[in-house]
Amino acid sequence: MDPLSRWAWRDDLQATAARYPGRRGQDALKTYFEHGLALTGAAHRAGVTVLVGTDTGLGGFRYHDELQWLRQAGLSQADVLRAATLQAARHLQRQASHGSVEVGKAADLVLLDGNPLHDIANTRRVHAVLLAGHLYDRLRLDALQTYARRQARSPAVMARLLWGFITSPVSAEL
């Protein structure tokens, strides 16, 4: 994460913690989160379509956390994978080209070093990615991650982010 996004994320966390101070507040937030998991599981059992996603700018690695939380909410390993793939494609009305492995569909695949049907945490064990006809093996993925980290710390990127924040119509409303 770039420093501005990291600051905003930490500021949001600190503001939430400040609204619910002390052990009692921590317990309340934990109970709230656990209630959300229980509601998600109940909704799934009632037939509500559950999707994987985030309302934060973190995305990426946080999706793996969400996959594990959906398991904790009571979804099966297969249901969690469907929430991240087929159900997401259906929600976006892209099931004709995405969401499952079939002839004629986009060949965007994540190849894992472990079976996520045995343990959803195996989604973190990415061996390679096939995206838009390009194979990104582990070595190339690591190089891309290193590049992204460097870019997140780049003064030029930080200046563009700050300029975008300052000139944003949303900032004017703050």
Side-chain angles (χ1 to χ4, degrees), residues 9-173:
W9 182 65
R10 285 186 181 144
D11 186 59
D12 186 43
L13 286 177
Q14 290 169 352
T16 300
R19 281 192 295 269
Y20 302 94
R23 183 72 189 156
R24 189 168 177 225
Q26 290 173 357
D27 289 345
L29 289 172
K30 183 179 179 205
T31 299
Y32 178 76
F33 182 78
E34 290 169 352
H35 183 67
L37 288 177
L39 287 175
T40 300
H44 173 73
R45 287 187 299 280
V48 174
T49 300
V50 174
L51 302 175
V52 175
T54 181
D55 60 351
T56 73
L58 298 177
F61 298 109
R62 297 300 304 209
Y63 287 114
H64 296 288
D65 296 337
E66 185 163 348
L67 297 175
Q68 290 186 271
W69 288 330
L70 289 175
R71 270 299 284 139
Q72 193 174 333
L75 279 72
S76 70
Q77 317 275 13
D79 286 337
V80 171
L81 293 174
R82 277 191 284 276
T85 56
L86 185 59
Q87 298 295 12
R90 286 180 179 155
H91 179 75
L92 296 171
Q93 298 179 350
R94 308 263 330 251
Q95 68 271 24
S97 60
H98 291 80
S100 61
V101 179
E102 296 178 46
V103 173
K105 289 192 174 187
D108 296 342
L109 302 169
V110 177
L111 306 173
L112 304 172
D113 282 328
N115 188 342
L117 292 172
H118 296 160
D119 182 356
I120 204 66
N122 284 330
T123 63
R124 294 179 187 274
R125 298 178 58 203
V126 177
H127 180 79
V129 173
L130 183 63
L131 180 63
H134 300 282
L135 179 64
Y136 299 88
D137 62 11
R138 185 73 258 164
L139 188 64
R140 195 162 177 200
L141 291 170
D142 290 342
L144 287 169
Q145 189 174 29
T146 299
Y147 175 77
R149 283 189 178 118
R150 271 197 319 268
Q151 289 298 302
R153 295 182 189 107
S154 163
V157 170
M158 187 62 181
R160 285 194 300 267
L161 284 169
L162 281 171
W163 181 250
F165 179 75
I166 291 167
T167 60
S168 167
V170 175
S171 297
E173 295 174 13

